[in-house]
């Protein structure tokens, strides 16, 4: 058994356990575990495929676990089964790797159970997949009942189904060239029309360019609010809901550095990641603090900013395809 591939399955299970506690987003967990285990670009891609696949299809996976396992399953074992079933029934990964390496990611006391359930899924694969059209639509597409019902009332059943199908497709990956560093040669993507500096990624994630801060992953749509803000060098700007820092960096790049940028977020645990991102991207340090904008601003901030970006939290129901945590 390949040790590094075992580590990918183990990382996927560990990331799911951390994700269930609600402190981190899936993308953050992928970066953390890939760095901690020194995964190659291809193994990082496998980790992302498994983690995103589980989160996109969690309700359907749990339905299958209920069929294949007669009895209760503790949360950690359930996450191991989710990882295994996702590989076998959704990602179509080679069965021997999906079973053997996922079993090893479980505790010794439950490996027999995990092995039995995963092998049962292989035997039952055709039946399980053939029965998907007969399941309740929100279960088949792993969406909440209330959201499907709302969309069906607003757009009709056909469009509601199309939305759920769209949300379950992997989103394209885009990156932006960092204007604060020398332009790298041989970029692994094609330029995005109407979005200077943005590219659609082709092939695996370029780990070396990302680690060097020469490029960073970002959707072109995120630039619109910063373009409207139009920050200029020498201005002092407040990014009021800044974490994890994508728009903060766009502002810092327009300013020339993060020196005159103040970033706040209501979640203190998200701010170190923001500062790390800015420094990795050669923007320097911003002034970072915790603030809840349902409360008044500190008196010393009154009248001190040339521009304020308030990208307030929303339901995110329009970006479920990209933000796998939402549902």
């Amino acid at each position: 058994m390949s040790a590094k591939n075992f580590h990918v399955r183990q990382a996927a299970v560990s990331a799911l356990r951390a994700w269930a506690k609600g402190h981190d987003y899936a993308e953050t967990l992928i970066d953390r575990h890939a760095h901690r285990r020194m995964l190659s670009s291809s193994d990082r891609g496998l980790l992302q495929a498994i983690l995103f696949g589980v989160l996109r299809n969690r309700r359907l996976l749990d339905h299958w676990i209920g069929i294949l396992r007669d009895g209760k399953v503790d949360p950690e074992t359930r996450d191991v089964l989710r990882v295994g079933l996702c590989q076998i029934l959704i990602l179509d990964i080679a069965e021997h790797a999906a079973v053997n390496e996922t079993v090893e990611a479980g505790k010794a006391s439950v490996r027999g159970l995990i092995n039995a359930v995963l092998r049962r899924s292989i035997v039952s694969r055709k039946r399980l997949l053939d029965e998907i059209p007969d399941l309740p639509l929100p279960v088949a597409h792993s969406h909440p009942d209330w959201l499907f019902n709302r969309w069906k009332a607003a757009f009709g059943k056909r469009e509601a189904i199309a939305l759920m199908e769209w949300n379950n497709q992997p989103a394209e990956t885009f990156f932006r060239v960092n204007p604060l560093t020398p332009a790298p040669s041989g970029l692994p993507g094609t330029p995005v029309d109407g979005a200077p500096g943005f590219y659609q990624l082709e092939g695996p994630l370029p780990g070396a360019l990302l680690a060097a801060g020469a490029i960073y992953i970002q959707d072109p749509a995120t630039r619109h609010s910063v373009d409207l803000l139009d920050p200029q060098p020498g201005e002092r700007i407040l990014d009021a809901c800044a974490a994890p820092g994508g728009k903060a960096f766009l502002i810092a790049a327009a300013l020339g550095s993060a020196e005159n940028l103040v970033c706040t977020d209501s979640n203190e645990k998200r701010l170190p990641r923001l500062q790390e991102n800015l420094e990795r991207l050669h923007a320097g340090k911003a002034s970072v603090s915790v603030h809840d904008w349902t409360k008044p601003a500190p008196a010393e901030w009154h009248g001190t900013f040339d521009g304020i970006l308030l990208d307030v939290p929303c339901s995110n129901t329009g970006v479920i395809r990209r933000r796998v945590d939402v549902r």
Side-chain angles (χ1 to χ4, degrees), residues 114-133:
I114 294 167
N115 183 67
V117 171
L118 296 186
R119 294 195 180 282
R120 197 174 299 143
S121 74
I122 294 171
V123 174
S124 307
R125 176 189 175 101
K126 185 178 186 305
R127 176 176 63 84
L128 294 173
L129 296 178
D130 287 347
E131 289 176 352
I132 290 177

Side-chain angles (χ1 to χ4, degrees), residues 133-155:
D134 299 324
L135 296 176
L137 288 168
V139 175
H141 297 286
S142 290
H143 279 62
D145 290 342
W146 68 266
L147 186 56
F148 169 68
N149 291 333
R150 173 182 287 186
W151 284 344
K152 183 171 67 172
F155 310 122

Side-chain angles (χ1 to χ4, degrees), residues 15 23-34 44 51-52 244 269-270 273 276-277 325:
H23 297 317
D24 290 294
Y25 292 102
E27 290 185 355
T28 301
L29 290 165
I30 289 168
D31 288 342
R32 180 181 305 158
H33 283 275
R44 185 193 186 281
L51 185 59
F52 281 15
K269 294 180 178 179
R270 301 181 70 196
R273 167 80 176 187
E276 290 169 7
N277 284 338
D325 310 275

